[in-house]
Coordinates of all heavy atoms in Angstrom, one line a residue:
M17 N 112.1 92.1 102.7 CA 110.9 92.3 103.5 C 109.9 93.0 102.6 O 110.2 94.0 102.0 CB 111.3 93.0 104.7 CG 110.2 93.2 105.7 SD 110.9 93.9 107.2 CE 109.5 94.5 107.9
A18 N 108.7 92.6 102.7 CA 107.6 93.2 101.9 C 107.2 94.6 102.5 O 107.3 94.8 103.7 CB 106.4 92.3 101.8
D19 N 106.8 95.5 101.6 CA 106.3 96.8 102.0 C 104.9 96.6 102.5 O 104.0 96.2 101.8 CB 106.4 97.7 100.8 CG 106.1 99.2 101.2 OD1 105.6 99.4 102.3 OD2 106.4 100.0 100.4
K20 N 104.7 96.9 103.8 CA 103.3 96.6 104.4 C 102.4 97.9 104.3 O 101.3 97.8 104.8 CB 103.5 96.3 105.9 CG 104.3 95.0 106.1 CD 103.5 93.8 106.0 CE 104.3 92.6 106.4 NZ 103.6 91.4 106.5
R21 N 102.8 98.9 103.7 CA 101.9 100.1 103.5 C 100.7 99.7 102.7 O 100.8 99.0 101.7 CB 102.7 101.3 102.9 CG 103.7 101.9 103.8 CD 104.4 103.0 103.1 NE 105.1 102.6 102.0 CZ 105.5 103.3 101.0 NH1 105.3 104.6 101.0 NH2 106.2 102.8 99.9
P22 N 99.5 100.2 103.1 CA 98.3 99.9 102.3 C 98.4 100.2 100.9 O 99.1 101.2 100.5 CB 97.2 100.7 103.0 CG 97.8 100.9 104.4 CD 99.3 101.0 104.2
I23 N 97.7 99.5 100.1 CA 97.5 99.7 98.6 C 96.2 100.3 98.4 O 95.2 99.8 98.9 CB 97.6 98.4 97.8 CG1 98.8 97.5 98.2 CG2 97.5 98.6 96.3 CD1 100.1 98.0 97.8
H24 N 96.2 101.5 97.7 CA 94.9 102.2 97.4 C 94.6 102.1 95.9 O 95.4 102.4 95.1 CB 95.1 103.7 97.8 CG 95.3 103.9 99.2 ND1 94.3 104.1 100.1 CD2 96.4 103.8 100.0 CE1 94.8 104.3 101.3 NE2 96.1 104.1 101.3
T25 N 93.4 101.6 95.6 CA 92.9 101.6 94.2 C 92.1 102.9 94.0 O 91.1 103.2 94.7 CB 92.0 100.4 93.9 OG1 92.7 99.2 94.1 CG2 91.4 100.5 92.5
V26 N 92.6 103.8 93.1 CA 92.1 105.1 93.0 C 91.8 105.5 91.5 O 92.3 104.9 90.6 CB 93.1 106.2 93.5 CG1 93.3 106.0 95.0 CG2 94.4 106.1 92.8
R27 N 90.8 106.4 91.3 CA 90.4 106.9 90.0 C 91.5 107.9 89.6 O 92.0 108.7 90.3 CB 89.1 107.6 90.1 CG 88.6 108.2 88.8 CD 87.8 107.1 88.1 NE 87.1 107.7 87.0 CZ 87.3 107.4 85.7 NH1 88.1 106.4 85.4 NH2 86.6 108.0 84.8
T28 N 91.9 107.8 88.3 CA 92.8 108.7 87.7 C 92.1 109.4 86.5 O 91.0 109.0 86.1 CB 94.1 108.0 87.2 OG1 93.8 107.1 86.2 CG2 94.8 107.3 88.3
D29 N 92.8 110.3 85.9 CA 92.2 111.0 84.7 C 91.9 110.1 83.6 O 90.9 110.3 82.8 CB 93.2 112.1 84.2 CG 93.3 113.3 85.2 OD1 92.4 113.4 86.0 OD2 94.3 114.0 85.1
D30 N 92.7 109.0 83.4 CA 92.5 108.1 82.3 C 92.2 106.7 82.7 O 92.5 105.7 82.0 CB 93.8 108.1 81.4 CG 95.0 107.8 82.2 OD1 95.0 107.8 83.4 OD2 96.1 107.6 81.5
G31 N 91.6 106.5 83.9 CA 91.2 105.1 84.3 C 91.3 104.9 85.8 O 90.9 105.8 86.6
W32 N 91.9 103.8 86.2 CA 92.2 103.5 87.6 C 93.6 103.0 87.7 O 94.2 102.6 86.8 CB 91.2 102.3 87.9 CG 89.8 102.7 87.9 CD1 88.9 102.8 86.9 CD2 89.0 103.2 89.0 NE1 87.7 103.2 87.3 CE2 87.7 103.5 88.6 CE3 89.3 103.4 90.4 CZ2 86.8 104.0 89.4 CZ3 88.4 103.9 91.2 CH2 87.1 104.2 90.8
A33 N 94.1 103.2 89.0 CA 95.5 102.7 89.3 C 95.6 102.4 90.7 O 94.7 102.7 91.5 CB 96.5 103.8 88.9
N34 N 96.7 101.7 91.1 CA 97.0 101.4 92.5 C 98.1 102.2 92.9 O 99.1 102.5 92.2 CB 97.3 99.9 92.6 CG 96.1 99.1 92.4 OD1 95.0 99.3 93.0 ND2 96.2 98.1 91.5
K35 N 98.1 102.7 94.2 CA 99.0 103.6 94.7 C 99.3 103.2 96.2 O 98.4 102.8 96.9 CB 98.5 105.0 94.7 CG 99.3 106.1 95.2 CD 98.6 107.4 94.9 CE 98.5 108.2 96.1 NZ 98.1 109.5 95.9
R36 N 100.6 103.1 96.6 CA 101.0 102.9 97.9 C 100.7 104.1 98.8 O 100.9 105.2 98.4 CB 102.5 102.7 98.0 CG 102.9 101.4 97.8 CD 103.4 100.6 98.9 NE 103.8 99.4 98.2 CZ 103.4 98.2 98.5 NH1 102.7 98.0 99.5 NH2 103.8 97.2 97.8
E37 N 100.2 103.8 100.0 CA 100.0 104.9 100.9 C 101.3 105.7 101.1 O 102.3 105.1 101.4 CB 99.5 104.4 102.3 CG 99.0 105.5 103.2 CD 98.2 104.9 104.4 OE1 97.1 104.4 104.1 OE2 98.7 105.0 105.5
G38 N 101.2 107.0 101.1 CA 102.3 107.9 101.3 C 103.1 108.2 100.0 O 104.1 108.9 100.0
S39 N 102.8 107.6 98.9 CA 103.5 107.7 97.6 C 102.7 108.6 96.7 O 101.5 108.5 96.6 CB 103.8 106.4 97.0 OG 104.4 106.5 95.8
D40 N 103.4 109.4 95.9 CA 102.7 110.1 94.8 C 102.7 109.4 93.5 O 101.9 109.7 92.6 CB 103.5 111.5 94.6 CG 103.4 112.4 95.8 OD1 102.4 112.4 96.5 OD2 104.4 113.2 96.0
R41 N 103.4 108.3 93.4 CA 103.5 107.5 92.2 C 102.4 106.5 92.2 O 102.0 106.0 93.2 CB 104.8 106.8 92.1 CG 106.0 107.7 91.9 CD 107.3 107.0 91.8 NE 107.2 105.6 92.1 CZ 108.0 104.7 91.6 NH1 109.0 105.1 90.7 NH2 107.9 103.4 91.9
V42 N 101.9 106.2 91.0 CA 100.9 105.2 90.8 C 101.5 104.0 90.0 O 102.4 104.2 89.3 CB 99.6 105.7 90.1 CG1 98.9 106.7 91.0 CG2 99.8 106.2 88.7
S43 N 100.9 102.9 90.1 CA 101.3 101.7 89.4 C 100.8 101.8 87.9 O 100.3 102.9 87.5 CB 100.8 100.4 90.0 OG 99.4 100.4 89.8
K44 N 100.9 100.8 87.2 CA 100.3 100.7 85.9 C 98.9 101.1 86.0 O 98.2 100.8 86.9 CB 100.4 99.2 85.5 CG 99.7 98.9 84.2 CD 99.8 97.4 83.9 CE 98.9 97.1 82.8 NZ 98.7 95.6 82.6
R45 N 98.4 101.8 84.9 CA 97.1 102.3 84.9 C 96.2 101.2 84.3 O 96.7 100.4 83.4 CB 97.0 103.5 84.1 CG 97.6 104.7 84.8 CD 97.5 106.0 84.0 NE 97.9 107.2 84.5 CZ 98.7 107.5 85.5 NH1 99.1 106.6 86.3 NH2 99.0 108.8 85.8
F46 N 95.0 101.1 84.7 CA 94.0 100.1 84.2 C 92.8 100.8 83.6 O 92.4 101.9 84.1 CB 93.6 99.2 85.4 CG 94.7 98.4 86.0 CD1 95.4 99.0 87.1 CD2 95.0 97.2 85.6 CE1 96.5 98.3 87.7 CE2 96.1 96.5 86.2 CZ 96.8 97.1 87.2
R47 N 92.2 100.1 82.6 CA 91.0 100.7 82.0 C 89.8 100.7 82.9 O 89.0 101.5 82.9 CB 90.7 99.9 80.7 CG 90.9 100.6 79.5 CD 90.5 99.7 78.3 NE 89.7 98.6 78.8 CZ 88.7 98.1 78.1 NH1 88.4 98.5 77.0 NH2 88.0 97.1 78.6
T48 N 89.7 99.6 83.7 CA 88.5 99.4 84.6 C 88.9 99.3 86.0 O 90.0 98.9 86.4 CB 87.7 98.1 84.2 OG1 88.5 97.0 84.6 CG2 87.4 98.1 82.7
K49 N 87.9 99.7 86.9 CA 88.1 99.6 88.3 C 88.3 98.1 88.7 O 89.2 97.8 89.6 CB 86.9 100.2 89.0 CG 87.0 100.1 90.5 CD 85.8 100.7 91.2 CE 85.9 100.7 92.7 NZ 84.7 101.3 93.3
A50 N 87.6 97.2 88.1 CA 87.7 95.8 88.5 C 89.1 95.3 88.2 O 89.7 94.5 89.0 CB 86.7 95.0 87.7
E51 N 89.7 95.7 87.1 CA 91.1 95.2 86.8 C 92.1 95.8 87.8 O 93.0 95.0 88.3 CB 91.5 95.7 85.4 CG 90.8 95.0 84.3 CD 91.1 95.7 82.9 OE1 91.3 96.9 82.9 OE2 91.1 95.0 82.0
A52 N 91.9 97.0 88.2 CA 92.8 97.7 89.2 C 92.6 97.0 90.6 O 93.6 96.8 91.3 CB 92.6 99.2 89.2
E53 N 91.4 96.8 90.9 CA 91.1 96.1 92.2 C 91.7 94.8 92.3 O 92.3 94.4 93.3 CB 89.6 96.1 92.5 CG 89.0 97.4 92.9 CD 87.5 97.3 93.1 OE1 86.8 96.5 92.4 OE2 87.0 98.0 94.0
Q54 N 91.6 94.0 91.3 CA 92.2 92.6 91.2 C 93.7 92.7 91.5 O 94.2 91.9 92.3 CB 91.8 91.9 89.9 CG 92.3 90.5 89.9 CD 92.0 89.8 88.6 OE1 91.4 90.5 87.6 NE2 92.2 88.6 88.5
A55 N 94.4 93.6 90.8 CA 95.8 93.7 90.9 C 96.2 94.2 92.3 O 97.1 93.7 92.9 CB 96.3 94.7 89.8
G56 N 95.4 95.2 92.8 CA 95.7 95.7 94.2 C 95.5 94.7 95.2 O 96.3 94.6 96.2
R57 N 94.4 93.9 95.1 CA 94.2 92.8 96.1 C 95.3 91.8 96.1 O 95.7 91.3 97.1 CB 92.8 92.2 95.9 CG 91.7 93.0 96.4 CD 90.4 92.2 96.5 NE 89.9 91.8 95.2 CZ 89.1 92.4 94.4 NH1 88.6 93.6 94.8 NH2 88.7 91.9 93.2
S58 N 95.7 91.4 94.9 CA 96.7 90.4 94.7 C 98.0 90.9 95.4 O 98.7 90.1 96.1 CB 97.0 90.2 93.2 OG 98.0 89.3 93.0
T59 N 98.4 92.1 95.2 CA 99.6 92.7 95.8 C 99.5 92.7 97.3 O 100.4 92.3 98.0 CB 99.9 94.1 95.3 OG1 100.1 94.0 93.9 CG2 101.1 94.7 95.9
A60 N 98.3 93.2 97.8 CA 98.1 93.2 99.2 C 98.1 91.8 99.9 O 98.7 91.7 100.9 CB 96.7 93.9 99.5
R61 N 97.5 90.8 99.2 CA 97.6 89.5 99.7 C 99.0 89.0 99.8 O 99.4 88.4 100.8 CB 96.8 88.5 98.8 CG 95.4 88.3 99.2 CD 94.7 87.2 98.4 NE 93.4 87.6 98.0 CZ 93.0 88.0 96.8 NH1 93.8 88.0 95.8 NH2 91.8 88.4 96.6
R62 N 99.7 89.2 98.7 CA 101.1 88.7 98.7 C 102.0 89.3 99.7 O 102.9 88.7 100.3 CB 101.7 89.0 97.3 CG 103.1 88.5 97.0 CD 103.6 88.7 95.6 NE 103.7 90.1 95.3 CZ 103.0 90.8 94.5 NH1 102.0 90.2 93.8 NH2 103.2 92.1 94.3
E63 N 101.7 90.6 100.0 CA 102.6 91.3 101.0 C 102.0 91.4 102.4 O 102.6 91.9 103.3 CB 102.8 92.7 100.5 CG 103.6 92.7 99.2 CD 103.8 94.1 98.6 OE1 103.4 95.1 99.2 OE2 104.4 94.2 97.5
G64 N 100.8 90.8 102.6 CA 100.2 90.9 103.9 C 99.8 92.3 104.3 O 100.0 92.7 105.5
A65 N 99.4 93.1 103.4 CA 99.0 94.5 103.6 C 97.5 94.7 103.5 O 96.8 93.8 103.3 CB 99.7 95.4 102.6
E66 N 97.1 95.9 103.7 CA 95.7 96.3 103.5 C 95.4 96.8 102.1 O 96.3 97.5 101.5 CB 95.3 97.4 104.6 CG 93.9 97.8 104.5 CD 93.5 98.8 105.6 OE1 94.4 99.6 105.9 OE2 92.4 98.8 106.0
H67 N 94.2 96.5 101.6 CA 93.8 97.0 100.3 C 92.6 97.9 100.5 O 91.6 97.5 101.2 CB 93.4 95.9 99.3 CG 92.9 96.4 98.0 ND1 91.6 96.3 97.6 CD2 93.6 97.1 97.0 CE1 91.5 96.9 96.4 NE2 92.7 97.4 96.1
V68 N 92.7 99.2 100.0 CA 91.6 100.1 100.1 C 91.1 100.5 98.7 O 91.9 101.0 97.9 CB 92.0 101.4 100.9 CG1 90.8 102.3 101.1 CG2 92.7 101.0 102.2
S69 N 89.8 100.3 98.5 CA 89.3 100.6 97.2 C 88.4 101.9 97.3 O 87.5 101.9 98.2 CB 88.5 99.4 96.6 OG 88.0 99.7 95.4
Y70 N 88.5 102.8 96.4 CA 87.7 104.0 96.4 C 86.7 104.1 95.3 O 86.8 103.5 94.3 CB 88.7 105.3 96.2 CG 89.6 105.5 97.4 CD1 90.7 104.7 97.6 CD2 89.2 106.4 98.4 CE1 91.5 104.9 98.7 CE2 90.0 106.6 99.5 CZ 91.2 105.8 99.6 OH 92.0 106.0 100.7
K71 N 85.6 104.8 95.6 CA 84.5 105.0 94.6 C 84.9 106.1 93.7 O 85.9 106.8 94.0 CB 83.2 105.4 95.4 CG 82.7 104.3 96.3 CD 81.5 104.9 97.0 CE 81.0 103.9 98.1 NZ 79.8 104.5 98.8
T72 N 84.2 106.3 92.7 CA 84.5 107.4 91.7 C 84.5 108.8 92.3 O 85.1 109.7 91.9 CB 83.6 107.4 90.5 OG1 82.2 107.4 90.9 CG2 83.8 106.1 89.6
D73 N 83.7 109.0 93.4 CA 83.6 110.3 94.1 C 84.7 110.5 95.1 O 84.8 111.5 95.8 CB 82.2 110.5 94.7 CG 82.0 109.5 95.9 OD1 82.9 108.7 96.3 OD2 80.8 109.5 96.4
G74 N 85.6 109.5 95.2 CA 86.8 109.7 96.1 C 86.6 109.1 97.5 O 87.5 109.2 98.3
T75 N 85.4 108.7 97.9 CA 85.1 108.1 99.2 C 85.5 106.6 99.2 O 85.6 106.0 98.2 CB 83.7 108.2 99.6 OG1 82.8 107.6 98.7 CG2 83.2 109.7 99.7
I76 N 85.8 106.1 100.4 CA 86.2 104.7 100.5 C 85.0 103.8 100.2 O 84.0 104.0 100.8 CB 86.8 104.4 101.9 CG1 88.1 105.2 102.1 CG2 87.0 102.9 102.1 CD1 88.7 105.1 103.4
G77 N 85.2 102.9 99.4 CA 84.2 101.9 99.0 C 84.4 100.6 99.8 O 83.4 100.0 100.2
E78 N 85.6 100.2 100.0 CA 85.9 98.9 100.6 C 87.3 98.8 101.2 O 88.2 99.4 100.5 CB 85.7 97.8 99.6 CG 85.8 96.4 100.1 CD 85.6 95.3 99.0 OE1 86.4 95.3 98.1 OE2 84.6 94.6 99.2
R79 N 87.4 98.2 102.3 CA 88.7 98.0 102.9 C 88.9 96.5 103.2 O 87.9 95.9 103.8 CB 88.9 98.7 104.3 CG 88.9 100.2 104.2 CD 89.1 100.7 105.6 NE 90.4 101.1 105.9 CZ 90.9 102.3 105.9 NH1 90.1 103.3 105.6 NH2 92.2 102.5 106.1
R80 N 90.0 95.9 102.9 CA 90.3 94.5 103.3 C 91.7 94.4 103.8 O 92.6 95.0 103.2 CB 90.2 93.6 102.0 CG 88.7 93.5 101.6 CD 88.7 92.5 100.5 NE 87.3 92.4 99.9 CZ 86.9 91.5 99.1 NH1 87.7 90.6 98.7 NH2 85.7 91.5 98.6
S81 N 91.9 93.7 104.9 CA 93.2 93.5 105.5 C 93.6 92.1 105.2 O 92.9 91.2 105.5 CB 93.1 93.8 107.0 OG 94.4 93.6 107.5
Y82 N 94.8 92.0 104.7 CA 95.4 90.7 104.4 C 96.6 90.4 105.3 O 97.3 89.4 105.1 CB 95.8 90.6 102.9 CG 94.6 90.7 102.0 CD1 94.3 91.9 101.4 CD2 93.8 89.6 101.8 CE1 93.2 92.0 100.5 CE2 92.7 89.7 100.9 CZ 92.4 90.9 100.3 OH 91.3 91.0 99.5
G83 N 96.8 91.2 106.3 CA 97.9 91.0 107.3 C 97.5 89.9 108.3 O 96.3 89.5 108.3
K84 N 98.4 89.5 109.1 CA 98.1 88.6 110.2 C 97.3 89.2 111.2 O 97.5 90.4 111.7 CB 99.4 88.1 110.8 CG 100.2 87.2 109.9 CD 101.5 86.7 110.6 CE 102.2 85.8 109.6 NZ 103.5 85.3 110.2
E85 N 96.2 88.6 111.6 CA 95.3 89.1 112.6 C 95.9 88.8 114.0 O 96.5 87.7 114.2 CB 94.0 88.4 112.5 CG 93.3 88.7 111.2 CD 92.9 90.1 111.0 OE1 92.5 90.8 112.0 OE2 93.0 90.6 109.9
L86 N 95.7 89.7 114.9 CA 96.2 89.5 116.3 C 95.2 88.5 117.0 O 94.0 88.6 116.9 CB 96.2 90.8 117.1 CG 97.2 91.8 116.6 CD1 97.0 93.1 117.4 CD2 98.6 91.3 116.7
V87 N 95.8 87.5 117.6 CA 95.0 86.5 118.3 C 95.1 86.8 119.8 O 96.2 86.8 120.4 CB 95.4 85.1 118.0 CG1 94.6 84.1 118.8 CG2 95.4 84.9 116.5
S88 N 94.0 87.0 120.5 CA 94.0 87.2 121.9 C 94.1 85.8 122.6 O 93.4 84.9 122.2 CB 92.8 88.0 122.4 OG 91.6 87.3 122.2
T89 N 94.9 85.8 123.6 CA 95.0 84.5 124.4 C 94.6 84.8 125.9 O 94.9 85.9 126.4 CB 96.4 83.9 124.3 OG1 97.3 84.9 124.8 CG2 96.7 83.6 122.9
K90 N 94.1 83.8 126.5 CA 93.8 84.0 127.9 C 95.1 83.8 128.7 O 95.9 82.9 128.5 CB 92.7 83.0 128.4 CG 91.4 83.3 127.8 CD 90.4 82.3 128.3 CE 89.0 82.6 127.6 NZ 88.0 81.7 128.1
G91 N 95.3 84.7 129.7 CA 96.5 84.7 130.4 C 96.3 84.0 131.7 O 97.0 83.4 132.4

């Protein structure tokens, strides 16, 4: 079963990385934000999770959900 916790693309001392929500560990480090975002979005899509990308100042820049959307039906 895939881990559905959101993936966060964050700034590190030496570049950018992806980190699971609630984890202190980061994935492979990337030189650019674009490379890290691409990898984070790919993982989120594959696992049906949310991807959150941060700006260099630490604020949220973009959120995308790749999970199944709830569909309302008329009863």
